[in-house]
């Protein structure tokens, strides 16, 4: 069985490998055909050298970069059935609706939104002080390493997903480090990306792909002088190791790490629509076997009969729902370990709590519960992320205890409140919301956090340790592009030497520029 | 002699000190009256606890914060003569024009610009997706530690300067760590800041001041869970130690570190106006005894007679200029050490190179030179920052060698080109400028970098290691405020629960908001 090549410097070529690995079908536990290489430093070094040369991308007209993003989206659509088939085999995620009807269209939609942002140009916040003739704009930061997660084989794929689209749209070459649980999906996507690169005449190393490195080389490549920035989505432990290496050489690293996504269900909402909420919550929790960064796995309730009814209703849903496969054996093992940690810290099983035997990698739909008092005794352990189909109810004695619980929360991507429509919960909301607000990137009302819309106003980010910096979002254009940019100021630079975006004439008549502190699409009078 | 109190939690009270220190008059070398405390962790801890409580500032109306900033500016002006007197005594910087006519008005101007930015509100990039009802805005990040530098006792003072103004304007309490070379100036400024806090009814711990801590406590306080962010301007070594501590707990730290600020003088410019440029360069270099972050201390020239004439002319200027005092004995020692490092790495003295004996702390106006070839053999050492009145000429054999030199530059705050007005230098500019562009935050034409205008388009920032992140600026409103903010998204949040900036009605009719991807000052139709 030949080993798949890697994509370096515009060529699919054999890796300088230290070993190989195979993907697995998590639905069956069987190895999938095809060997993928574990690259040595030689591959990383060549990719970095090629990417550095490909930073001439910064001088490429926006139309050409937009064309690439659009053609890539079209090529993905052309190869859709093959992509869905392999992604399903590698992740166990349902072909439809999830992969074919939701995630793939989302992915091509992101690429097209990124193309539109490149054409329009406002994302870079071009700023002009006409009086002093000082002008500035965000500009490409340099080669971006993208480490994609296991749970979105398309939409967060390192060679096609949101970080990829944002980094390219900001004018940077991307070196993709495939997630090792779906290397075959990444390979097909990289084939289409590279074909689109060739078709649209971008520098050949605009898109490169390697599959796996040693941890040591991973730390080395993020810290390399040729690296511009890094985007990482995945486990906290691995992410923080990369952060430490990148920080040491001043490389911006954007992380999307763990999050338990607290949901506070206020009593009026339970009275008003408890059964409906149990449905909604169970659906959100079990979707994709709970393998979302924004999975609501930490629910705060006030002690009482209505909360007990809610828990019982969710329990019934969890027990009645099928046990769908997890993404890999590693995910199943980690989930079991997390549930064990929660139990050891004082949480009690409501249902589930064990690995389901073959076929594939499955864990029983799991609910746990703990009192507010016990939570406050072990707040760190009881915020252990149980990535997958498990959720913890934290039952507070009273409102004061809810406040204490919220004040002990780590940084999270999201936090949600459910309250009644009549205003009966408003006093509690006003008490609790400011506490949760400071600890999450996105605050929701009456809505589960699992839908992360690709919206200009989205924040898929949050306070540490849910990410590495609370000011940036991984989803949402234009803001996600700004992660991969450096601020370039031009002071008294002669007119003809300015980038097009900063010249007096608005380059496309549509670009928003902050001219003398007012946003404007107009040309500047000579 | 009683020890000066510190300002903690709304009270001037005795420090829990491990020792004391005195300021010195660098013009005479004599100690100035007044003992200042070295705080122990107990002081830091109390300041953090008080600052955390003062984050209720986030709910304070913008008008009130703006009023504070304006009143503070007015109070500084009222106390101007006393402030100028003590700042002169502590720094040796000239009373006029520098302190009284340039730096103090700049400081109050920054405070007033920050007040205007708070009132207007557009700095926070409020973004609204009306279709999905997702809304986001930058919001206060939490208590900000400001470590001010030695070289701007007013404009970058930790309790009155640009970082202070930006952090407060973004809605955060500030804990100022005074620069230990001008504690008395910081004390007076803090008195006025606190009086303005009291007068405008802000939380008492909105502004706090300590003077000095141990290095260990410095590392501990930046990493503390209650810290929101840190702004540091100063030496690279101390800054990187704080960065390492802050990074370890995910605290955003904005650094402004060393920079040699390369200036490339092209041959046509020398032919056209060599004598004028020598004047301009010498003036920029020696202003404030060269103690600017943006001091042009690295000049690239092409070998030839014109360059020799330029060097000779600058030498004459340097030798004819008075030797003005440095900020402290530490600055004089560091400058001597840096010049020694440059010499050991192959640079030759053109003039100066030694400490001038009493009175005070002075170093002879110093020029060094080195060939491009030698530079390329020791590029790191030959980029040692010589903070003060010293500059290095790097003389390249030819254009290709200039390209190599530029490619070896570290990240800098600024880089400048001088070229002729007739277009004779254009070919060289086109070759060189892209290389320098990537290595600096602000690129200048025909202008020395020492003037850092407080402009909306300014970038006082740059690639690592001139700062810690190339996307942020320490000077320039509105961008400098965005360093001290977290992105807060509201997803389906009920209208009445949204912050004013995100409600349908534009809160002041002037705030620019990105509504459905178009900047607008209008209300949103219901």
């Amino acid at each position: 069985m030949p080993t798949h090549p890697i994509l370096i410097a515009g060529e699919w070529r054999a890796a300088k490998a230290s070993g190989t690995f195979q993907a697995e079908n998590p639905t069956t536990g069987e190895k999938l055909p095809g060997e993928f290489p574990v690259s040595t430093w030689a591959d990383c070094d060549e990719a970095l050298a090629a990417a550095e040369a490909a930073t001439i991308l910064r001088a490429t007209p926006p139309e050409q970069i937009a064309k690439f993003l659009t053609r890539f989206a079209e090529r993905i659509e052309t190869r859709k059935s093959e992509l869905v088939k392999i992604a399903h085999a590698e992740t166990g995620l349902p072909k439809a609706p999830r992969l074919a009807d939701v995630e793939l269209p989302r992915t091509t939609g992101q690429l097209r939104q990124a193309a539109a942002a490149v054409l329009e140009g406002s994302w870079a916040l071009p700023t002009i002080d006409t009086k002093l003739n000082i002008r500035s704009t965000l500009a490409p930061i340099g080669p971006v390493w993208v480490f994609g997660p296991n749970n979105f084989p398309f939409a967060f794929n390192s060679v096609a997903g949101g970080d990829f689209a944002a980094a390219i749209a900001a004018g940077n070459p991307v070196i993709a480090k495939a997630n090792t649980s779906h290397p075959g999906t990444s390979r097909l996507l990289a084939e289409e990306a590279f074909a689109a690169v060739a078709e649209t005449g971008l520098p050949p190393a605009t898109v490169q792909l390697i599959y796996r490195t040693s941890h040591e080389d991973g730390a080395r490549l993020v810290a390399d002088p040729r690296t511009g920035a890094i985007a990482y989505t995945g486990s906290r432990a691995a992410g923080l190791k990369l952060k430490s290496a990148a920080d040491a050489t001043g490389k911006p690293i954007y992380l999307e790490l763990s999050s338990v996504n607290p949901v506070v269900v206020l009593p009026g909402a339970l009275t008003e629509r408890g059964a409906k909420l149990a449905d909604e919550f169970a659906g959100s929790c079990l979707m994709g076997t709970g393998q979302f960064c924004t999975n609501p796995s930490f629910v705060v309730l006030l002690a009482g009969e209505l909360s007990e009814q809610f828990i019982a209703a969710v329990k019934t849903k969890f027990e009645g729902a099928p046990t769908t496969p997890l993404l890999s054996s590693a995910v199943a093992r980690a989930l079991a370990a997390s549930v064990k940690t929660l139990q050891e810290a004082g949480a009690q099983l409501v249902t589930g709590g064990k690995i389901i035997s073959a076929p594939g990698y499955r864990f029983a739909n799991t609910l746990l519960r703990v009192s507010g008092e016990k939570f406050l005794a072990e707040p760190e352990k009881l915020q252990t992320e149980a990535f997958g189909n498990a959720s913890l109810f934290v039952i507070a004695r009273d409102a004061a205890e809810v406040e204490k619980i919220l004040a002990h929360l780590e940084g999270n991507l999201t936090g949600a409140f459910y309250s009644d429509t009549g205003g009966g919960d408003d006093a509690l909301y006003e008490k609790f919301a400011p506490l949760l607000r400071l600890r999450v990137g996105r605050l929701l009302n009456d809505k589960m956090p699992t839908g992360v819309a690709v919206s200009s106003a989205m924040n898929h980010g949050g306070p540490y340790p849910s990410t590495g910096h609370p000011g940036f979002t991984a989803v949402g254009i234009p803001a996600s592009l700004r992660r991969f940019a450096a601020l370039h100021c031009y002071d008294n630079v002669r007119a003809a030497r300015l980038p097009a975006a900063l010249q007096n004439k608005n380059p496309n008549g549509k670009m928003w520029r902050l001219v003398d502190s007012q946003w404007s699409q107009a040309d500047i009078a000579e």
Side-chain angles (χ1 to χ4, degrees), chain A:
Chain A
M1 185 159 44
T3 302
H4 284 295
I6 57 176
L7 175 60
I8 301 276
E11 283 185 52
W12 286 100
R13 64 137 172 91
K16 287 159 188 163
S18 63
T20 63
F21 69 99
Q22 282 179 268
E24 281 186 344
N25 183 332
T27 312
T28 62
E30 288 165 3
K31 292 225 186 281
L32 289 163
E35 301 261 356
F36 293 90
V38 180
S39 281
T40 56
W41 179 251
D43 286 342
C44 304
D45 185 54
E46 284 174 42
L48 280 162
E52 195 177 35
T55 56
I56 52 165
L57 195 62
R58 64 178 66 242
T60 304
E63 295 73 15
Q64 204 178 336
I65 295 179
K67 181 80 185 160
F68 159 74
L69 291 163
T70 309
R71 280 299 297 138
F72 183 25
E74 288 165 357
R75 297 189 72 105
I76 288 173
E77 283 157 357
T78 305
R79 210 168 177 182
K80 177 170 180 172
S81 65
E82 197 183 346
L83 280 163
V84 167
K85 190 177 161 196
I86 194 164
H88 170 68
E90 291 185 329
T91 66
L93 294 169
K95 286 186 179 174
R98 164 71 188 260
L99 290 170
D101 306 325
V102 180
E103 196 180 331
L104 191 136
R106 178 198 172 100
T107 309
T108 53
Q110 287 174 165
L111 291 165
R112 289 192 172 94
Q113 278 196 31
V118 177
L119 282 178
E120 200 236 29
S122 312
W123 71 270
L125 303 177
T127 302
I128 299 175
D129 177 336
T130 61
K131 203 169 142 198
L132 298 175
N133 190 23
I134 302 177
R135 299 167 190 237
S136 63
T137 181
L138 291 171
I141 200 169
V144 176
W145 285 92
V146 181
F147 292 75
N150 56 6
N151 60 340
F152 280 90
F154 301 149
F156 285 76
N157 191 292
S158 52
V159 73
D163 286 336
F164 172 87
I168 296 272
N172 306 290
V174 166
I175 314 175
K177 210 296 281 169
N179 188 284
T180 50
S181 71
H182 48 253
T185 310
S186 303
R187 182 173 70 81
L188 295 200
L189 288 167
E191 283 178 6
E192 296 312 314
F194 184 58
V197 162
E199 206 179 306
T200 53
L202 294 189
T206 299
V207 178
Q208 303 184 87
L209 175 72
I210 61 174
Y211 292 101
R212 185 181 266 187
T213 68
S214 68
H215 293 308
E216 191 187 38
D217 286 340
R220 186 172 171 190
L221 63 87
V222 298
D224 192 275
R226 294 162 293 186
T227 293
I230 306 99
Y232 169 93
T233 307
S235 79
R236 188 192 292 190
L240 292 184
K241 273 181 200 154
L242 291 179
K243 177 178 180 338
S244 172
D247 285 341
T249 61
K251 297 297 177 188
I253 180 165
Y254 302 98
L255 306 157
E256 200 228 285
L257 305 172
S258 57
S259 182
V260 299
N261 305 297
V263 175
V264 183
V265 187
L266 296 176
L270 288 178
T271 309
E272 188 180 82
R273 56 192 203 279
K276 193 172 159 287
L277 295 188
D279 259 21
E280 191 180 338
F281 173 71
S284 176
C285 263
L286 297 180
M287 184 168 44
T289 323
Q291 298 163 117
F292 287 93
C293 326
T294 54
N295 188 54
S297 57
F298 187 97
V299 182
V300 181
L301 299 167
L302 276 159
E305 188 46 41
L306 284 165
S307 292
E308 294 304 326
Q309 286 171 19
F310 178 73
I311 294 170
V314 175
K315 175 174 186 282
T316 305
K317 300 277 168 200
F318 266 52
E319 288 172 354
T323 306
T324 47
L326 292 161
L327 290 159
S328 68
S329 59
V331 169
R333 280 195 307 273
L335 177 53
S338 294
V339 169
K340 195 174 164 214
T341 300
L342 293 170
Q343 288 179 276
E344 284 168 357
Q348 291 178 304
L349 269 184
V350 176
T351 185
K354 56 180 189 296
I355 287 186
I356 304 281
S357 53
Y361 308 117
R362 291 163 208 260
F363 195 81
N365 298 329
T366 296
L367 292 170
L368 302 104
R369 63 181 293 161
V370 73
S371 69
E373 190 181 354
K374 278 196 181 157
F375 172 80
L376 292 169
E378 286 280 14
E380 199 177 321
K381 282 189 185 153
L382 286 163
Q383 287 179 75
T384 300
E385 186 189 39
F387 186 75
N389 48 333
S391 198
L392 172 68
F393 295 107
V394 182
I395 297 131
R397 189 173 31 207
D398 53 22
E401 198 169 81
V402 172
E403 289 184 87
K404 279 187 206 144
I405 292 165
L406 297 178
H408 277 83
L409 290 178
E410 292 187 325
N412 275 276
L413 296 172
T414 74
F417 281 99
Y418 281 79
S419 53
D420 73 339
T421 52
D425 287 328
D426 283 1
L428 288 178
Y429 185 91
E430 277 164 37
K431 212 188 275 277
F432 300 157
L435 288 163
L436 191 56
R437 173 67 280 182
L438 298 187
R439 290 163 178 85
V440 304
R442 177 165 55 115
L443 184 76
L444 300 102
N445 275 188
D446 310 309
K447 192 177 168 186
M448 284 293 157
T450 27
V452 183
V454 185
S455 159
S456 56
M458 177 48 66
N459 181 15
H460 192 55
Y464 184 88
S466 67
T467 78
H469 192 300
F472 294 100
T473 175
V475 174
I477 292 167
S480 66
L481 276 62
R482 291 198 276 265
R483 295 174 296 160
F484 305 116
L487 183 57
H488 280 188
C489 175
Y490 296 82
D491 187 347
N492 199 41
V493 168
R494 299 184 193 175
R497 294 171 175 175
L498 290 167
L502 297 181
Q503 297 194 3
N504 283 355
K505 187 168 165 39
N506 189 305
N508 58 20
K510 291 179 300 183
M511 186 186 293
W512 285 98
R513 308 190 295 180
L514 191 68
V515 179
D516 298 331
S517 301
Q518 301 296 315
W519 287 101
S520 162
Q521 291 175 302
D523 295 340
I524 293 164
E526 298 288 336

